[in-house]
Amino acid sequence: MTEARSVLVEAPGRHRLVAAAAPPEPGPGEVRVAVHAAGVCASDREVYEGTRAEGYVRYPVVPGHEWSGTVAAVGPGTDPALVGRKTTGEGFRACGTCDRCRTGETSLCTAGYEETGFTRPGAFADHLVLPARLLHLLPDDADLTAAALLEPAAVVAAAVLRAAPRAAERVAVVGAGTLGLLAVQLLAAASPAELTAVDPRKRPGEQARAFGAHRAVTPEEAAGLHGRFDLVVETAGAPGTARDACLLARRGGRVVLTGLPAPGAHGIDPVHLAVSQLTVAGVFGAPPAAWAHATRAFAAGLLRPAALITHQLPLESFGVAVELVGSGDPEVGKVLLKP
């Protein structure tokens, strides 16, 4: 019998592994994916601890929005040729008909927030059912373990596309966690004259240099680089990193914010924004174009996420995985659950 297990977070702080007699059946226009691997991130920890913002989670829920797998079955009206294809897929369940969706900005859908792993069943399970239109197919020889990081890579791709880096620019990435290190890889491909990673930890800084950064500095050292960079991409989501990113940008420079700090973060000085004439943009999630960019970069070898993975655990170890993600241990990189 095919296994159909899933991690169910019944309420904040309470979870269990549940099993069904059979895997879920895809409906019209849907597919069922056999999950290969699913990433655990800080948002999943928020779901478990009950600290995710109201309206952005619905209990009980099976978490897991970063995933890879193989199409195992298709529903009525769905192309049967999809069966057996390696894939990843978008999480946002956009309506497809509002003004923002019509322009391709599905992450700004005005119909209300729905996302795999937060308000819909996610990938901390043997199987995941989702609309076929959300799939992004991968090459037959793709490394599915590494491909589980394509969701954060798509967010980074959204930031890079918004930033529009140009060759020979001076670029900084604030934060060298998963998002930051993926950003370093994509930005390095744009041939910057200077690419600097800012992070207080030694190991992520070393990884940033291995991925193409010319140097890695601590936040204290970065204070001496204020006003230097044409482009700054912020990925840390720490209380002061949005403000710090704006200070690093040169007059007339560009800043893209991807981190989501907790309430009480330091504000950005509006006088500094106005006088320096900065262009500041924010990214939350990723539209289809960013997903396509990330999957192409992955297939071409420009994105190499496998090196970011430090832990691979079974579904039964969900609690351990959440503790690792929130431990603050600099030796903990990307944590995966593997059914």
Side-chain angles (χ1 to χ4, degrees):
M1 179 181 295
T2 302
E3 288 188 302
R5 303 166 303 154
S6 58
V7 175
L8 182 69
V9 176
E10 299 174 302
R14 193 170 76 240
H15 80 280
R16 60 189 176 94
L17 189 68
V18 300
E25 288 298 322
E30 293 183 331
V31 299
R32 182 176 75 238
V33 172
V35 177
H36 177 83
V40 184
C41 81
S43 297
D44 299 306
R45 184 178 175 91
E46 290 174 353
V47 169
Y48 184 66
E49 294 181 338
T51 57
R52 189 163 172 84
E54 184 177 357
Y56 288 89
V57 63
R58 187 162 57 236
Y59 300 100
V61 66
V62 177
H65 58 288
E66 306 175 2
W67 59 270
S68 64
T70 303
V71 178
V74 298
T78 307
D79 186 358
L82 291 172
V83 175
R85 292 296 306 271
K86 292 181 177 180
T87 191
T88 184
E90 300 174 34
F92 283 169
R93 306 293 184 93
C95 72
T97 59
C98 71
D99 287 346
R100 297 276 59 79
C101 284
R102 292 276 186 169
T103 63
E105 298 175 311
T106 53
S107 59
L108 294 174
C109 177
T110 59
Y113 172 77
E114 294 285 349
E115 186 174 3
T116 298
F118 298 107
T119 64
R120 302 288 186 92
F124 293 165
D126 291 309
H127 302 274
L128 171 66
V129 171
L130 75 161
R133 61 183 172 82
L134 299 181
L135 296 181
H136 286 266
L137 300 177
L138 302 172
D140 292 339
D141 61 352
D143 177 355
L144 277 180
T145 300
L149 276 70
L150 282 173
E151 191 276 343
V155 174
V156 167
V160 171
L161 290 173
R162 179 70 63 88
R166 296 183 285 271
E169 287 192 311
R170 292 173 173 170
V171 181
V173 176
V174 178
T178 298
L179 288 177
L181 291 172
L182 291 169
V184 165
Q185 293 181 39
L186 282 181
L187 290 164
S191 300
E194 177 183 327
L195 179 55
T196 299
V198 182
D199 197 284
R201 301 164 297 175
K202 180 179 179 181
R203 181 176 178 275
E206 293 172 346
Q207 284 187 296
R209 288 194 294 271
F211 286 142
H214 298 111
R215 61 177 169 178
V217 299
T218 67
E220 291 74 22
E221 292 168 333
L225 301 174
H226 285 178
R228 180 176 180 81
F229 298 97
D230 303 290
L231 168 63
V232 183
V233 177
E234 185 277 331
T235 68
T241 50
R243 176 198 60 191
D244 294 345
C246 292
L247 293 174
L248 287 168
R250 65 161 172 81
R251 292 170 64 87
R254 312 185 309 283
V255 178
V256 182
L257 307 175
T258 70
L260 294 176
H266 304 157
I268 298 172
D269 183 358
V271 174
H272 175 68
L273 294 186
V275 172
S276 296
Q277 300 181 52
L278 300 182
T279 299
V280 180
V283 167
F284 177 62
W291 275 92
H293 187 74
T295 53
R296 284 196 302 269
F298 175 65
L302 297 176
L303 274 175
R304 306 178 302 281
L308 305 183
I309 301 167
T310 58
H311 295 76
Q312 300 183 50
L313 303 171
L315 286 180
E316 294 85 349
S317 298
F318 168 74
V320 175
V322 169
E323 289 181 6
L324 283 169
V325 168
S327 68
D329 185 343
E331 296 303 312
V332 175
K334 195 63 190 177
V335 179
L336 301 183
L337 290 180
K338 299 194 74 173

